């Protein structure tokens, strides 16, 4: 089976000394051996760089690139320039994979003549784990328009991220990640779908991701978090350009405004209305472009979001008052929940062992 070609496993790394060894160990102990592992250290300040170099000395399959901190998109692009494989899969440095992960993905691409293969994903959270369906069924999605339609669907069947996927790079050699630091993987995913003729999905969980508070999307609010607003607009513009009639534009607009309000909530919670005033002004400009786009598809647009942004001080005060009440209720519920859990001696685990 290894005659099918070489797999390039791309791992962007930033300050992940705690989880990186397990990630590398699971990648190195694959049943499919024809691979190269390109690790890009994105300016880490902990022991991550040292760990990368130690593994590279021990395992010839690993190639390490070091760069100043530029974000995961630019790190992945550097690896794409250096790769020599026929296939590419991306593994985040705090994630890990089953030992048959590569073999399964390559087999799916070959057997079903697909451009993209996707397997089930397990999301580990401190309180509970979230599983994709893992009943072993296989489904093919044919045609780029079908894939794009699913990307913008309220009942999405395939994911909008690169985790748990492998790409046959014959069609994708010129596709690169955005230099934005938040949401760059979803935009890259859409661009790949737009060039694909078939995606095969195997409903078996072979990829584990950790959703923990230290990850980039959950870290303290910063200017980079607002990149998702512009990326959402670019995604919508790509769908508009393809002229896919079955796109649910009402859902596209609802999703966009929901993203904007989530950012407003974080601004209000941190009392950073002044610090992020420029980003909020830019959000209004992006909203106006999105408004024009969705109106051309018959969507009735409310400008309530724009009014809330322009009156952010009042909106933030109201949000914080409501949040205090919600927190009081949540704390009570959590206290009861912990008491119940203690009575049953429930123990949560932040690990997962793959079924054999």
């Amino acid at each position: 089976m290894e005659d099918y070609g070489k797999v390039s496993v791309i791992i962007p790394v930033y300050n992940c000394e705690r989880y990186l060894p397990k990630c590398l160990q699971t990648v190195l102990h694959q049943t499919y051996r024809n691979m190269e592992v390109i690790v890009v250290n994105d300016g880490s300040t902990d022991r991550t760089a040292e760990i990368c170099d130690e593994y590279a000395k021990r395992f010839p399959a690993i190639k390490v690139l070091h760069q100043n901190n530029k974000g995961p998109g630019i790190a992945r692009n550097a690896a794409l320039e250096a790769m020599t494989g026929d296939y590419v899969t991306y593994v985040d440095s705090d994630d890990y994979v089953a030992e048959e992960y590569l073999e399964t993905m390559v087999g799916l691409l070959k057997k079903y003549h697909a451009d993209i293969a996707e397997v089930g994903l397990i999301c580990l959270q401190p309180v509970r784990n979230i599983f994709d369906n893992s009943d072993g069924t296989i489904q093919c999605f044919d045609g780029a328009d079908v894939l794009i339609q699913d990307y913008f669907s309220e009942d999405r069947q395939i994911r909008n991220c690169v985790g748990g996927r492998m790409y046959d790079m014959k069609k994708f050699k010129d596709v690169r990640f955005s230099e934005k630091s938040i949401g760059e993987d979803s935009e890259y995913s859409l661009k790949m779908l737009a060039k694909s003729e078939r995606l095969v999905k195997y409903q078996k969980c072979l990829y584990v991701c950790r959703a923990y508070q230290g990850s980039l999307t959950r870290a303290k609010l910063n200017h980079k978090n607002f990149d998702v607003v512009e990326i959402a607009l670019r995604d919508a513009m790509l769908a508009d350009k393809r002229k896919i009639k079955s796109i649910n534009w009402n859902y596209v607009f609802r999703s966009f405004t929901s993203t904007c309000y989530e950012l407003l909530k974080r601004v209000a919670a941190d009392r950073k209305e002044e610090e992020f005033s420029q980003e909020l002004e830019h959000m209004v400009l992006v909203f106006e472009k999105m408004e024009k786009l969705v109106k051309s598809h018959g969507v009735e647009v409310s400008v309530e979001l724009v009014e809330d942004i322009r009156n952010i001080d009042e909106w933030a005060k109201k949000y914080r008052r409501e949040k205090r009440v919600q927190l009081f209720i949540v704390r009570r519920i959590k206290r009861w929940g912990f008491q119940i859990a203690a009575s049953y001696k429930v123990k949560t685990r932040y690990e997962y062992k793959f079924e054999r």
Side-chain angles (χ1 to χ4, degrees), residues 205-283:
C205 293
L206 300 176
Y207 186 105
V208 175
C209 73
R210 301 179 192 270
Y212 64 100
Q213 294 302 314
S215 67
L216 189 59
T217 54
R218 295 170 179 78
K220 186 177 179 181
L221 183 67
N222 60 57
H223 302 284
K224 294 178 181 179
N225 288 98
F226 290 83
D227 291 346
V228 293
V229 178
E230 195 169 316
I231 286 177
L233 174 63
R234 290 207 297 260
D235 285 352
M237 290 172 67
L238 185 151
D240 176 67
K241 187 176 181 180
R242 296 294 289 250
K243 301 186 184 302
I244 303 173
K245 295 182 180 179
S246 53
I247 293 291
N248 185 344
W249 286 100
N250 282 291
Y251 171 70
V252 171
F253 184 66
R254 289 200 311 272
S255 179
F256 173 78
T257 54
S258 176
T259 297
C260 292
Y261 271 114
E262 286 303 313
L263 287 167
L264 290 190
K265 290 175 182 178
R266 295 186 67 180
V267 169
D270 292 347
R271 300 178 182 272
K272 295 292 181 66
E273 294 92 320
E274 289 294 327
E275 182 176 338
F276 295 105
S277 59
Q278 291 185 351
E279 284 77 12
L280 294 172
E281 289 176 13
H282 183 67
M283 187 187 292

XYZ file of all heavy atoms in Angstrom, residues 205-283:
658
model
N -13.968 7.506 14.245
C -13.151 8.522 14.924
C -11.697 8.081 15.012
O -11.370 7.139 15.739
C -13.709 8.791 16.319
S -15.343 9.579 16.302
N -10.843 8.768 14.265
C -9.412 8.452 14.229
C -8.537 9.656 14.583
O -7.310 9.550 14.554
C -9.020 7.931 12.843
C -9.729 6.662 12.354
C -9.306 6.337 10.932
C -9.433 5.494 13.278
N -9.161 10.786 14.877
C -8.421 12.019 15.162
C -8.984 12.632 16.442
O -10.198 12.752 16.599
C -8.574 13.001 14.002
C -7.748 14.272 14.109
C -6.600 14.447 13.335
C -8.116 15.317 14.955
C -5.849 15.612 13.410
C -7.365 16.478 15.053
C -6.238 16.618 14.275
O -5.480 17.763 14.353
N -8.096 13.006 17.345
C -8.501 13.610 18.622
C -7.979 15.037 18.697
O -6.789 15.284 18.494
C -7.957 12.805 19.821
C -8.273 13.514 21.130
C -8.542 11.406 19.835
N -8.879 15.980 18.986
C -8.440 17.364 19.211
C -8.779 17.756 20.643
O -9.741 17.250 21.238
C -9.082 18.328 18.218
S -10.831 18.652 18.512
N -7.962 18.618 21.193
C -8.173 19.071 22.568
C -8.743 20.488 22.538
O -8.115 21.398 22.018
C -6.858 19.084 23.346
C -6.157 17.732 23.435
C -4.856 17.898 24.203
N -4.007 16.735 24.085
C -4.027 15.697 24.913
N -4.879 15.688 25.912
N -3.213 14.674 24.742
N -9.928 20.653 23.113
C -10.530 21.985 23.235
C -10.284 22.466 24.652
O -11.036 22.168 25.567
C -12.022 21.922 22.944
N -9.209 23.188 24.847
C -8.845 23.624 26.194
C -8.652 25.138 26.211
O -8.499 25.780 25.182
C -7.571 22.923 26.667
C -6.335 23.239 25.861
C -5.414 24.168 26.302
C -6.110 22.615 24.635
C -4.289 24.467 25.556
C -4.988 22.912 23.886
C -4.085 23.833 24.352
O -2.979 24.130 23.588
N -8.653 25.705 27.379
C -8.703 27.153 27.503
C -7.441 27.855 27.008
O -7.452 29.043 26.769
C -8.949 27.530 28.976
C -10.315 27.091 29.478
C -11.460 27.668 28.660
O -11.458 28.847 28.357
N -12.406 26.832 28.283
N -6.353 27.140 26.841
C -5.131 27.776 26.383
C -5.007 27.866 24.876
O -4.059 28.433 24.361
N -5.949 27.281 24.125
C -5.833 27.287 22.680
C -6.057 28.681 22.133
O -6.620 29.559 22.781
C -6.828 26.307 22.048
O -8.140 26.756 22.251
N -5.636 28.894 20.874
C -5.626 30.233 20.285
C -7.009 30.856 20.250
O -7.187 32.031 20.552
C -5.041 30.148 18.859
C -4.738 31.474 18.150
C -3.756 32.289 18.962
C -4.196 31.217 16.757
N -8.032 30.077 19.872
C -9.370 30.634 19.748
C -10.025 30.885 21.098
O -11.036 31.575 21.173
C -10.270 29.694 18.926
O -10.237 28.389 19.508
C -9.800 29.627 17.486
N -9.456 30.344 22.195
C -10.049 30.529 23.517
C -9.176 31.402 24.415
O -9.498 31.614 25.573
C -10.275 29.160 24.186
C -11.295 28.324 23.454
C -11.325 26.897 23.962
N -12.322 26.114 23.273
C -12.170 25.601 22.056
N -11.044 25.788 21.409
N -13.125 24.914 21.483
N -8.070 31.865 23.891
C -7.167 32.685 24.691
C -7.779 34.075 24.907
O -8.835 34.414 24.368
C -5.816 32.797 23.993
N -7.094 34.880 25.680
C -7.552 36.231 25.976
C -7.784 37.009 24.691
O -7.013 36.918 23.740
C -6.504 36.930 26.847
C -6.932 38.298 27.336
C -5.872 38.891 28.245
C -6.284 40.280 28.721
N -5.239 40.884 29.589
N -8.850 37.798 24.657
C -9.221 38.552 23.454
C -8.088 39.469 23.013
O -7.504 40.188 23.818
C -10.473 39.378 23.741
C -11.034 40.176 22.562
C -11.583 39.224 21.496
C -12.134 41.130 23.033
N -7.760 39.409 21.728
C -6.769 40.316 21.165
C -7.213 40.742 19.775
O -8.256 40.312 19.276
C -5.374 39.670 21.141
C -5.351 38.408 20.311
O -5.689 38.400 19.131
N -4.955 37.295 20.929
N -6.425 41.580 19.140
C -6.811 42.158 17.852
C -6.977 41.092 16.770
O -7.770 41.256 15.842
C -5.775 43.205 17.435
C -5.615 44.309 18.438
N -6.530 45.335 18.577
C -4.673 44.543 19.383
C -6.144 46.164 19.543
N -5.015 45.692 20.052
N -6.258 39.986 16.889
C -6.328 38.937 15.875
C -7.696 38.258 15.843
O -8.104 37.734 14.802
C -5.239 37.886 16.136
C -3.821 38.406 15.966
C -2.809 37.320 16.302
C -1.387 37.831 16.162
N -0.398 36.779 16.504
N -8.397 38.257 16.986
C -9.692 37.579 17.036
C -10.693 38.150 16.034
O -11.613 37.448 15.588
C -10.279 37.667 18.439
C -9.538 36.793 19.434
O -8.681 37.266 20.170
N -9.843 35.512 19.451
N -10.511 39.409 15.676
C -11.460 40.060 14.769
C -11.247 39.653 13.312
O -12.043 40.024 12.449
C -11.367 41.577 14.923
C -11.900 42.077 16.246
C -11.114 42.053 17.379
C -13.202 42.541 16.357
C -11.604 42.486 18.606
C -13.703 42.982 17.568
C -12.904 42.956 18.701
N -10.201 38.881 13.036
C -9.960 38.411 11.666
C -11.116 37.562 11.150
O -11.369 37.509 9.937
C -8.670 37.576 11.609
C -7.421 38.410 11.832
O -7.517 39.646 11.769
O -6.349 37.820 12.074
N -11.835 36.891 12.059
C -12.893 35.975 11.625
C -13.997 36.709 10.873
O -14.665 36.135 10.009
C -13.507 35.214 12.820
C -12.506 34.264 13.425
C -14.054 36.169 13.872
N -14.197 37.995 11.169
C -15.261 38.756 10.520
C -14.951 38.935 9.037
O -15.794 38.694 8.165
C -15.438 40.124 11.210
C -16.508 40.941 10.514
C -15.790 39.934 12.682
N -13.721 39.331 8.745
C -13.323 39.526 7.347
C -13.268 38.203 6.595
O -13.645 38.123 5.415
C -11.959 40.217 7.306
C -11.626 40.794 5.951
C -10.406 41.699 6.009
O -10.317 42.513 6.957
O -9.561 41.577 5.117
N -12.827 37.148 7.252
C -12.775 35.838 6.606
C -14.185 35.351 6.277
O -14.424 34.768 5.215
C -12.031 34.828 7.497
C -10.527 35.116 7.451
C -12.315 33.389 7.088
C -9.679 34.243 8.335
N -15.149 35.599 7.163
C -16.538 35.220 6.895
C -17.058 35.921 5.643
O -17.785 35.323 4.833
C -17.414 35.550 8.094
N -16.693 37.179 5.469
C -17.095 37.911 4.257
C -16.463 37.300 3.020
O -17.136 37.108 1.990
C -16.708 39.387 4.387
C -16.941 40.232 3.131
C -18.420 40.292 2.772
C -16.375 41.641 3.315
N -15.179 36.983 3.101
C -14.500 36.401 1.938
C -15.100 35.045 1.566
O -15.236 34.718 0.391
C -12.997 36.259 2.213
C -12.263 37.589 2.281
C -10.801 37.429 1.892
N -10.066 36.562 2.785
C -9.271 36.993 3.758
N -9.146 38.289 3.987
N -8.610 36.147 4.514
N -15.457 34.257 2.577
C -16.117 32.979 2.315
C -17.420 33.195 1.549
O -17.708 32.503 0.568
C -16.420 32.259 3.630
C -15.183 31.645 4.268
O -14.119 31.649 3.620
O -15.284 31.163 5.409
N -18.216 34.157 2.011
C -19.496 34.441 1.357
C -19.296 34.939 -0.073
O -20.063 34.587 -0.982
C -20.283 35.465 2.176
N -18.253 35.728 -0.277
C -17.969 36.235 -1.621
C -17.589 35.105 -2.570
O -17.944 35.120 -3.756
C -16.854 37.278 -1.551
C -17.280 38.572 -0.875
S -15.902 39.728 -0.597
C -15.480 40.148 -2.292
N -16.882 34.100 -2.064
C -16.538 32.950 -2.903
C -17.799 32.202 -3.323
O -17.953 31.831 -4.490
C -15.594 32.020 -2.139
C -15.033 30.816 -2.910
C -13.662 30.420 -2.371
C -15.962 29.609 -2.844
N -18.727 31.997 -2.367
C -19.980 31.319 -2.698
C -20.793 32.118 -3.704
O -21.393 31.561 -4.630
C -20.794 31.087 -1.424
N -20.799 33.429 -3.531
C -21.532 34.293 -4.464
C -20.953 34.207 -5.877
O -21.691 34.140 -6.865
C -21.474 35.737 -3.961
C -22.119 36.720 -4.917
O -23.346 36.645 -5.091
O -21.388 37.547 -5.497
N -19.635 34.166 -5.956
C -18.967 34.094 -7.254
C -19.299 32.798 -7.977
O -19.400 32.771 -9.214
C -17.450 34.218 -7.054
C -16.661 34.314 -8.339
C -15.185 34.533 -8.045
C -14.384 34.647 -9.340
N -12.936 34.855 -9.052
N -19.481 31.700 -7.219
C -19.810 30.411 -7.832
C -21.263 30.332 -8.299
O -21.639 29.418 -9.027
C -19.545 29.272 -6.836
C -18.102 29.104 -6.441
C -17.247 28.651 -7.616
N -17.514 27.274 -7.992
C -16.669 26.274 -7.799
N -15.490 26.503 -7.233
N -16.977 25.056 -8.184
N -22.102 31.296 -7.859
C -23.515 31.356 -8.284
C -24.269 30.052 -7.980
O -24.971 29.505 -8.833
C -23.618 31.701 -9.769
C -22.977 33.028 -10.132
C -23.227 33.404 -11.580
C -22.499 34.687 -11.958
N -22.875 35.837 -11.125
N -24.084 29.556 -6.774
C -24.775 28.339 -6.348
C -26.150 28.729 -5.811
O -26.271 29.376 -4.770
C -23.958 27.591 -5.276
C -22.556 27.273 -5.811
C -24.670 26.319 -4.846
C -21.623 26.696 -4.775
N -27.183 28.341 -6.502
C -28.540 28.789 -6.177
C -29.044 28.232 -4.847
O -29.894 28.834 -4.194
C -29.496 28.406 -7.303
C -29.211 29.121 -8.616
C -30.216 28.730 -9.681
C -29.926 29.450 -10.993
N -30.899 29.054 -12.050
N -28.551 27.075 -4.452
C -29.095 26.412 -3.261
C -28.441 26.858 -1.955
O -28.736 26.309 -0.901
C -28.951 24.895 -3.409
O -27.612 24.546 -3.719
N -27.559 27.848 -1.990
C -26.953 28.351 -0.754
C -28.038 28.998 0.116
O -28.853 29.780 -0.360
C -25.850 29.385 -1.067
C -24.663 28.738 -1.771
C -25.382 30.084 0.218
C -23.849 27.811 -0.916
N -28.018 28.684 1.403
C -28.961 29.277 2.352
C -28.384 30.607 2.833
O -27.692 30.674 3.858
C -29.192 28.319 3.526
C -30.251 28.833 4.487
O -30.612 30.000 4.477
N -30.735 27.951 5.348
N -28.707 31.680 2.132
C -28.105 32.976 2.436
C -28.622 33.567 3.742
O -27.927 34.351 4.388
C -28.320 33.942 1.272
C -27.428 33.602 0.114
C -27.755 32.912 -1.013
C -26.035 33.897 0.010
N -26.659 32.761 -1.822
C -25.591 33.357 -1.223
C -25.117 34.556 0.814
C -24.269 33.461 -1.646
C -23.806 34.670 0.401
C -23.392 34.120 -0.819
N -29.836 33.209 4.137
C -30.324 33.653 5.447
C -29.444 33.094 6.559
O -29.089 33.803 7.512
C -31.780 33.206 5.647
C -32.758 34.082 4.905
O -32.953 35.241 5.261
N -33.364 33.533 3.870
N -29.066 31.813 6.432
C -28.189 31.204 7.435
C -26.801 31.838 7.395
O -26.194 32.062 8.445
C -28.077 29.704 7.197
C -27.034 29.048 8.053
C -27.227 28.913 9.423
C -25.834 28.595 7.503
C -26.260 28.332 10.224
C -24.864 28.018 8.304
C -25.081 27.888 9.655
O -24.113 27.328 10.447
N -26.300 32.138 6.197
C -24.988 32.783 6.068
C -24.974 34.100 6.841
O -24.028 34.394 7.591
C -24.645 33.023 4.584
C -23.386 33.893 4.451
C -24.440 31.706 3.856
N -26.039 34.879 6.688
C -26.087 36.176 7.366
C -26.267 36.008 8.872
O -25.629 36.706 9.667
C -27.215 37.029 6.788
C -27.276 38.414 7.375
C -26.241 39.322 7.151
C -28.346 38.801 8.172
C -26.288 40.600 7.698
C -28.390 40.066 8.724
C -27.364 40.972 8.487
N -27.121 35.056 9.290
C -27.300 34.812 10.726
C -25.992 34.381 11.371
O -25.650 34.811 12.475
C -28.368 33.742 10.964
C -29.780 34.166 10.661
C -30.798 33.272 11.373
N -30.527 31.853 11.177
C -30.985 31.132 10.171
N -31.707 31.705 9.219
N -30.724 29.833 10.090
N -25.268 33.507 10.687
C -23.988 33.031 11.213
C -22.990 34.174 11.330
O -22.247 34.271 12.325
C -23.442 31.936 10.287
O -22.204 31.469 10.751
N -22.983 35.053 10.337
C -22.073 36.207 10.357
C -22.385 37.126 11.536
O -21.485 37.517 12.295
C -22.189 36.971 9.038
C -21.431 38.264 9.013
C -20.059 38.280 8.819
C -22.095 39.471 9.195
C -19.352 39.481 8.793
C -21.395 40.678 9.178
C -20.027 40.676 8.979
N -23.653 37.471 11.714
C -24.014 38.375 12.811
C -23.763 37.715 14.167
O -23.360 38.383 15.122
C -25.488 38.812 12.703
O -26.331 37.655 12.615
C -25.705 39.677 11.470
N -23.971 36.402 14.246
C -23.697 35.691 15.492
C -22.217 35.782 15.845
O -21.851 35.999 17.015
C -24.117 34.232 15.357
O -23.776 33.498 16.512
N -21.358 35.628 14.845
C -19.912 35.758 15.063
C -19.569 37.148 15.575
O -18.764 37.305 16.510
C -19.161 35.478 13.752
O -19.399 34.128 13.347
C -17.661 35.695 13.920
N -20.187 38.166 14.981
C -19.921 39.542 15.404
C -20.362 39.764 16.845
O -19.642 40.392 17.639
C -20.640 40.521 14.480
S -20.007 40.566 12.793
N -21.526 39.245 17.208
C -22.022 39.437 18.574
C -21.168 38.694 19.599
O -21.004 39.164 20.738
C -23.479 39.004 18.680
C -24.459 40.122 18.373
C -25.285 40.067 17.261
C -24.539 41.239 19.199
C -26.165 41.103 16.962
C -25.422 42.280 18.921
C -26.231 42.195 17.800
O -27.091 43.231 17.521
N -20.623 37.542 19.230
C -19.731 36.846 20.138
C -18.505 37.698 20.457
O -18.012 37.716 21.597
C -19.308 35.496 19.548
C -20.400 34.440 19.574
C -20.941 34.181 20.971
O -20.120 34.015 21.900
O -22.171 34.172 21.148
N -18.007 38.409 19.451
C -16.882 39.313 19.672
C -17.302 40.487 20.558
O -16.553 40.898 21.453
C -16.347 39.820 18.335
C -15.559 38.797 17.513
C -15.358 39.285 16.087
C -14.207 38.502 18.149
N -18.491 41.025 20.324
C -18.986 42.121 21.167
C -19.090 41.680 22.624
O -18.752 42.438 23.545
C -20.356 42.591 20.678
C -20.445 43.345 19.344
C -21.838 43.918 19.164
C -19.403 44.435 19.246
N -19.549 40.459 22.849
C -19.679 39.950 24.210
C -18.320 39.866 24.900
O -18.188 40.187 26.089
C -20.346 38.576 24.197
C -21.821 38.606 23.807
C -22.383 37.197 23.685
C -23.836 37.217 23.238
N -24.390 35.846 23.061
N -17.308 39.421 24.143
C -15.977 39.313 24.739
C -15.396 40.690 25.034
O -14.724 40.895 26.052
C -15.053 38.518 23.815
C -15.475 37.068 23.638
C -14.468 36.271 22.853
N -13.212 36.117 23.571
C -12.158 35.459 23.089
N -12.234 34.894 21.891
N -11.052 35.358 23.797
N -15.655 41.647 24.145
C -15.218 43.027 24.378
C -15.876 43.571 25.643
O -15.220 44.167 26.505
C -15.562 43.928 23.172
C -15.370 45.402 23.518
C -14.694 43.569 21.971
N -17.187 43.345 25.761
C -17.923 43.851 26.926
C -17.475 43.173 28.207
O -17.298 43.830 29.245
C -19.420 43.636 26.704
N -17.287 41.861 28.166
C -16.889 41.120 29.365
C -15.536 41.584 29.879
O -15.312 41.657 31.094
C -16.857 39.628 29.056
N -14.628 41.911 28.959
C -13.281 42.361 29.340
C -13.200 43.867 29.565
O -12.122 44.385 29.863
C -12.267 41.955 28.266
C -12.067 40.458 28.187
O -12.521 39.760 29.113
O -11.458 39.984 27.215
N -14.326 44.572 29.347
C -14.362 46.042 29.471
C -13.302 46.689 28.580
O -12.534 47.556 29.014
C -14.180 46.452 30.939
C -15.263 45.905 31.859
C -15.028 46.293 33.303
N -16.032 45.748 34.182
C -17.194 46.335 34.487
N -17.457 47.540 33.993
N -18.055 45.754 35.290
N -13.288 46.283 27.316
C -12.261 46.763 26.390
C -12.873 47.545 25.223
O -12.381 47.488 24.099
C -11.471 45.559 25.835
C -10.672 44.804 26.889
C -9.529 45.639 27.407
C -8.706 44.886 28.451
N -7.997 43.739 27.910
N -13.953 48.272 25.485
C -14.624 49.004 24.422
C -13.687 50.011 23.742
O -13.702 50.159 22.518
C -15.850 49.750 24.967
C -16.959 48.832 25.468
C -16.848 48.508 26.947
O -15.703 48.288 27.415
O -17.877 48.478 27.632
N -12.888 50.702 24.533
C -11.977 51.710 23.971
C -10.808 51.051 23.233
O -10.419 51.477 22.156
C -11.442 52.611 25.087
C -12.477 53.552 25.663
C -12.942 54.581 24.641
O -12.125 54.989 23.786
O -14.127 54.960 24.683
N -10.274 49.991 23.805
C -9.100 49.339 23.223
C -9.377 48.787 21.830
O -8.496 48.799 20.963
C -8.630 48.218 24.149
C -7.383 47.507 23.641
C -6.883 46.463 24.621
O -7.207 46.561 25.827
O -6.166 45.534 24.177
N -10.600 48.324 21.618
C -10.926 47.699 20.340
C -11.853 48.570 19.489
O -12.581 48.055 18.638
C -11.564 46.329 20.571
C -10.630 45.337 21.200
C -10.754 44.996 22.540
C -9.607 44.752 20.457
C -9.882 44.085 23.128
C -8.738 43.846 21.039
C -8.874 43.512 22.373
N -11.795 49.868 19.665
C -12.679 50.771 18.925
C -12.422 50.715 17.417
O -13.369 50.747 16.615
C -12.509 52.212 19.431
O -11.159 52.640 19.272
N -11.171 50.611 17.012
C -10.864 50.537 15.581
C -11.384 49.243 14.969
O -11.925 49.238 13.851
C -9.355 50.661 15.348
C -8.802 52.041 15.644
C -7.327 52.157 15.290
O -6.664 51.162 14.978
N -6.811 53.370 15.342
N -11.224 48.141 15.695
C -11.733 46.866 15.193
C -13.259 46.891 15.067
O -13.819 46.331 14.112
C -11.317 45.723 16.128
C -9.863 45.309 15.997
C -8.901 46.269 16.664
O -9.368 47.145 17.422
O -7.693 46.149 16.425
N -13.922 47.562 16.005
C -15.378 47.660 15.944
C -15.817 48.525 14.761
O -16.814 48.214 14.092
C -15.920 48.220 17.257
C -15.728 47.320 18.479
C -16.130 48.044 19.758
C -16.520 46.029 18.338
N -15.087 49.578 14.499
C -15.391 50.415 13.323
C -15.207 49.612 12.037
O -16.006 49.712 11.106
C -14.482 51.647 13.312
C -14.811 52.673 14.387
C -13.825 53.832 14.390
O -13.039 53.954 13.412
O -13.824 54.619 15.356
N -14.153 48.811 11.996
C -13.922 47.982 10.804
C -15.019 46.930 10.669
O -15.416 46.588 9.542
C -12.551 47.310 10.896
C -12.197 46.504 9.691
N -11.972 47.066 8.454
C -12.050 45.162 9.519
C -11.692 46.115 7.578
N -11.738 44.950 8.200
N -15.516 46.417 11.787
C -16.603 45.447 11.744
C -17.828 46.041 11.049
O -18.515 45.356 10.282
C -16.956 44.995 13.156
C -17.973 43.839 13.190
S -18.529 43.443 14.875
C -17.014 42.787 15.585
